[in-house]
């Protein structure tokens, strides 16, 4: 992977950041460990890739769900995503009472099943306009990015330490 042109490494890291579930949480370590980008490059590419889908999900996912939900293969995926988002809404009083703070916290905590994609779905199911939904989601992505960046740096330092000792 080291022989790839740098622009391709940037693009691939950004694309990984766009993938649901993996998002920025997986793109930063992939950028650093697989593509050998520095931390800042990996963060920026992952961040850009992760925030690109947000507006489209918040604004247009319902009409797409309605359209594609007519076909069984898509319906299974759509039902899973819808159930996941409505379950998260029902579980979290913060999301119900303090929507912006709840969305921010939900996206900012880098755990599986949280992130910009599900946060955007939640915003859509709460009927939040993009103007109110996008800022807390983007701030959550930035916060999660810094957390993952710190964990990646710690893991990298730990790996390098073990390699030097071994």
């Amino acid at each position: 992977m080291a022989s790839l042109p740098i622009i391709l490494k940037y693009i691939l890291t950004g694309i990984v950041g766009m993938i649901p579930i993996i998002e920025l949480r997986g793109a930063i370590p992939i950028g650093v460990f697989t593509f050998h980008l520095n931390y800042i490059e990996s963060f920026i590419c992952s961040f850009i890739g992760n925030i690109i889908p947000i507006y489209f999900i918040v604004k247009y996912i319902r009409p797409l769900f309605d359209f594609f939900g007519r076909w069984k293969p898509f319906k299974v995926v759509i039902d899973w995503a819808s159930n996941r988002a409505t379950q998260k809404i029902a579980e979290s009083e913060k999301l119900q009472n303090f929507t912006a703070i709840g969305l921010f916290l939900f996206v900012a905590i880098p755990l599986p099943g949280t992130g910009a994609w599900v946060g955007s779905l939640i915003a859509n199911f709460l009927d939040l306009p993009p103007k109110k939904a996008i800022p807390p989601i983007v701030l959550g992505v930035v916060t999660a990015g810094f957390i993952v960046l710190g964990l990646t740096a710690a893991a990298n330092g730990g790996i390098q330490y073990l390699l030097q000792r071994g």
Side-chain angles (χ1 to χ4, degrees):
M1 292 286 177
S3 63
L4 292 174
I6 191 74
I7 191 71
L8 189 56
K9 292 178 183 182
Y10 292 160
I11 291 168
L12 289 172
T13 302
I15 289 171
V16 172
M18 287 184 193
I19 298 172
I21 300 170
I22 297 173
E23 300 185 34
L24 169 129
R25 293 144 172 76
I28 289 174
I30 287 171
V32 170
F33 295 124
T34 304
F35 299 130
H36 307 289
L37 299 176
N38 69 42
Y39 295 108
I40 303 299
E41 292 169 332
S42 185
F43 175 84
I44 291 169
C45 295
S46 301
F47 172 77
I48 291 169
N50 201 187
I51 64 167
I52 287 173
I54 294 171
Y55 175 80
F56 301 101
I57 296 168
V58 171
K59 183 84 173 161
Y60 299 112
I61 202 72
R62 279 239 179 112
L64 285 174
F65 277 5
D66 293 342
F67 177 76
F68 285 107
R70 295 183 275 177
W71 295 286
K72 187 163 177 98
F74 295 111
K75 186 169 176 33
V76 172
V77 175
I78 290 168
D79 288 346
W80 174 84
S82 299
N83 291 337
R84 180 91 179 149
T86 52
Q87 177 187 3
K88 292 294 181 183
I89 294 166
E91 288 175 0
S92 178
E93 286 183 34
K94 285 182 181 174
L95 279 176
Q96 294 170 11
N97 299 328
F98 304 100
T99 310
I101 294 169
L103 272 176
F104 164 75
L105 291 173
F106 181 81
V107 175
I109 300 169
L111 295 172
T114 66
W117 277 80
V118 177
S120 298
L121 285 173
I122 290 169
N124 186 286
F125 287 109
L126 290 172
D127 291 321
L128 289 175
K131 204 159 129 180
K132 289 190 176 192
I134 292 172
I137 293 171
V138 170
L139 287 173
V141 170
V142 169
T143 304
F146 284 135
I147 293 168
V148 172
L149 200 61
L151 293 171
T152 302
N156 196 19
I159 291 168
Q160 288 177 355
Y161 175 79
L162 290 174
L163 290 175
Q164 290 172 352
R165 299 283 299 188

